[in-house]
Amino acid sequence: MQRPNRILLIVFCLLTSAFAQTPDWCKRLPRPQYDKLDRVKIPDPWFEVLKIRPGVYAIYEPHQFEEVISYVIIGTRKAILFDTGMGISNINAVVEGLTKLPISVVNSHTHNDHVGDNWRFDDVYGMPTDFTRTNARGSTADAQAELAPGQICGTLPIGFDPNRTVREHFTSCTGCMTATASI
């Protein structure tokens, strides 16, 4: 085979291989439903921030299969973060870029995709049950499954260590209490 043909064959194989490894769900991004919302520029490419209305933002994680969306509601004295996402990148830094107010976290429930960055916050609210306190620490098996082949679209953030788990960071749910906070 002549050299130019070999190069074309190698390029074709590499492109075919790369395309085959892109999960189908990833090929449909960005979601057209979000086109009507204003995007807020942030420095972290793991997240997208969508302005819902003044003081209300959706923090979207489009690069993981679950496409987690956490919400920030900014009040006059406090901000509420509804769920902390996967914990793959620093959602606290994103929220601090939106407001300088103190931030309280309210977890809707304690699956990994809702408590992943709880450990970055001091003020975390959830249902005051043993189940919540146990599950707010995360699950090593669940965290690893969320990083399995076909679960990630693109590359993980620089500095993210897939061998570190939520459980290693968030070892106690001392902030978990009844979900009542005034903003």
Side-chain angles (χ1 to χ4, degrees):
M1 184 180 285
Q2 295 177 339
R3 186 172 176 91
N5 288 343
R6 261 190 263 162
I7 292 172
L8 285 173
L9 179 62
I10 290 170
V11 168
F12 175 77
C13 289
L14 289 173
L15 288 174
T16 303
S17 173
F19 184 75
Q21 293 175 0
T22 301
D24 286 339
W25 65 270
C26 188
K27 296 172 190 169
R28 296 186 295 270
L29 298 177
R31 299 279 177 209
Q33 300 90 315
Y34 305 145
D35 288 345
K36 295 178 183 171
L37 299 172
D38 293 329
R39 285 190 172 12
V40 176
K41 284 193 166 262
I42 59 167
D44 189 334
W46 181 257
F47 299 102
E48 289 183 17
V49 175
L50 307 167
K51 185 176 182 180
I52 308 298
R53 58 181 298 163
V56 180
Y57 300 89
I59 302 175
Y60 173 45
E61 295 184 60
H63 306 290
Q64 200 281 335
F65 177 73
E66 295 183 40
E67 295 182 65
V68 174
I69 300 176
S70 301
Y71 294 92
V72 178
I73 302 167
I74 300 172
T76 56
R77 296 177 305 184
K78 225 177 197 189
I80 297 292
L81 174 60
F82 190 70
D83 293 332
T84 60
M86 300 294 296
I88 291 175
S89 198
N90 186 346
I91 200 168
N92 189 23
V94 173
V95 177
E96 287 178 344
L98 298 172
T99 181
K100 298 303 176 204
L101 293 173
I103 304 161
S104 292
V105 171
V106 176
N107 291 137
S108 60
H109 61 287
T110 54
H111 287 158
N112 272 3
D113 58 323
H114 296 264
V115 301
D117 255 358
N118 274 7
W119 67 275
R120 295 185 192 269
F121 297 89
D122 294 326
D123 198 21
V124 179
Y125 295 85
M127 296 301 295
T129 66
D130 289 339
F131 180 84
T132 296
R133 282 184 282 280
T134 299
N135 289 297
R137 295 181 188 133
S139 159
T140 301
D142 289 349
Q144 293 303 312
E146 290 160 352
L147 300 173
Q151 299 293 303
I152 301 296
C153 179
T155 59
L156 291 167
I158 294 171
F160 175 73
D161 180 358
N163 297 312
R164 182 190 76 210
T165 64
V166 173
R167 185 173 296 281
E168 291 168 5
H169 287 297
F170 196 66
T171 56
S172 69
C173 191
T174 55
C176 288
M177 56 191 96
T178 56
T180 56
S182 61
I183 56 172

